[in-house]
Amino acid sequence: MWKHKNIVPILIVFGIVSTLLALFAVSSWWWVFLVLFVWLGSTTWGAFDIRQGYFTDVFYKKKHENRRRVSLTFDDGPTPVTLDILALLKQHQAKATFFCIGKQINKHPDIFRKIIEEGHTIGNHTMNHSKGFGFLNAQQIEQEIDSCDASINDIVPHKPRFFRPPFGVTNPSVAKAVKETKHHVIGWSNRSLDTIIDDENKIFDRVSTRLVPGDIILLHDTSNKTLRVATRLLEYMKQQDFQSVTIDELLNLPAYEH
Ligand SMILES: [Zn+2]
């Protein structure tokens, strides 16, 4: 399997052998470059495409889903927009999962409480959502996860099991941290790019045309643009007989440790 823990030992052996052969002029240095290229390519690809589960196990969709169920997920809240998203979900009797940032929970505890009261699931999305998340060491990541869990625990008696890394970045430090904190890493299979694309039609088309049963859809409860996209998306899902359920229901995994 193309996983970090399997690939690295193989690349080290190939690296040593190709370097020795090149040093004794038996083969070309190009083999050494090739090994380096494969190492760099796999590391970068694995770090930025969460679906690969290259460094750690990642749940990014429900495979072989035979019902028309999907999971809407909202990251980076709670914010005042979350209230409108909650009203929209209620109107459609849809359930979602919110990956909350600790410092946002501290800012909007009442909105956070409402997410839970309305039957949605929450997951950990770190304390600060640092822009340099990909460069933090395992201990710093653990601290980010633990502080977010503590903010959640201040309000509800739940310790979440689900963790979504900021920007979907995984690397050896993230793998080490989640092993320690015992969280499941949750990715996505349908990325809206709602924080990158300006055109609402494009975001809606992108998500709706690729929508398949078992999908985990990534959105952000941080803008009115996403609220409008979600409004159209839920209408479309109704027409197509898709139902949004929480991640724990979709994956049949407990969302909290009690
Ligand atoms: Zn985020």
Side-chain angles (χ1 to χ4, degrees):
M1 285 229 286
W2 198 259
K3 301 283 171 195
H4 182 251
K5 61 175 186 277
N6 306 333
I7 295 301
V8 167
I10 297 171
L11 288 179
I12 289 173
V13 172
F14 271 96
I16 292 170
V17 172
S18 59
T19 306
L20 287 173
L21 291 177
L23 277 173
F24 292 103
V26 178
S27 71
S28 153
W29 280 101
W30 284 112
W31 290 106
V32 181
F33 288 128
L34 183 69
V35 172
L36 279 173
F37 181 75
V38 171
W39 173 76
L40 203 65
S42 330
T43 306
T44 313
W45 185 38
F48 291 106
D49 187 352
I50 197 163
R51 292 170 304 176
Q52 301 308 320
Y54 183 62
F55 296 100
T56 181
D57 291 338
V58 172
F59 295 93
Y60 68 93
K61 71 180 294 179
K62 168 80 184 289
K63 291 173 184 161
H64 316 299
E65 170 66 9
N66 47 21
R67 285 184 272 171
R68 291 181 74 75
R69 298 187 311 168
V70 296
S71 270
L72 288 173
T73 65
F74 294 93
D75 286 13
D76 297 0
T79 73
V81 176
T82 312
L83 291 172
D84 298 316
I85 298 277
L86 289 175
L88 177 70
L89 292 170
K90 196 179 231 175
Q91 188 195 327
H92 287 271
Q93 292 163 326
K95 296 289 182 232
T97 302
F98 292 78
F99 287 92
C100 297
I101 300 174
K103 67 175 182 191
Q104 289 300 118
I105 297 172
N106 296 349
K107 233 187 261 181
H108 303 288
D110 292 338
I111 302 177
F112 176 74
R113 200 175 286 117
K114 203 168 160 70
I115 297 174
I116 301 205
E117 280 168 4
E118 303 212 344
H120 306 288
T121 291
I122 44 153
N124 184 316
H125 198 41
T126 72
M127 188 64 190
N128 294 297
H129 204 282
S130 154
K131 283 201 168 64
F133 179 78
F135 302 101
L136 300 183
N137 64 35
Q139 206 184 349
Q140 290 168 318
I141 295 171
E142 241 184 84
Q143 215 162 34
E144 279 287 318
I145 296 175
D146 285 342
S147 308
C148 181
D149 273 358
S151 290
I152 292 168
N153 264 162
D154 276 350
I155 300 172
V156 290
H158 297 319
K159 175 179 159 40
R161 299 285 307 276
F162 300 153
F163 169 67
R164 177 171 279 165
F167 318 107
V169 169
T170 53
N171 56 33
S173 301
V174 173
K176 201 170 164 201
V178 293
K179 197 174 171 197
E180 207 56 48
T181 61
K182 299 187 178 64
H183 286 76
H184 295 304
V185 177
I186 308 291
W188 52 75
S189 53
N190 194 328
R191 186 178 198 178
S192 65
L193 297 180
D194 58 343
T195 54
I196 296 166
I197 300 173
D198 281 330
D199 186 338
E200 288 166 32
N201 293 325
K202 275 192 190 150
I203 303 170
F204 171 74
D205 290 346
R206 190 184 150 81
V207 177
S208 59
T209 52
R210 297 182 310 160
L211 197 63
V212 290
D215 256 354
I216 295 178
I217 304 148
L218 171 63
L219 293 157
H220 295 80
D221 49 334
T222 52
S223 74
N224 284 316
K225 177 179 69 183
T226 297
L227 174 65
R228 291 190 292 271
V229 170
T231 306
R232 282 180 68 186
L233 192 58
L234 279 156
E235 276 302 326
Y236 173 82
M237 284 167 57
K238 198 194 312 181
Q239 288 161 14
Q240 299 292 318
D241 204 24
F242 276 110
Q243 186 201 1
S244 177
V245 297
T246 56
I247 293 275
D248 37 317
E249 200 177 329
L250 184 75
L251 300 177
N252 200 19
L253 276 176
Y256 307 108
E257 216 173 74
H258 289 287

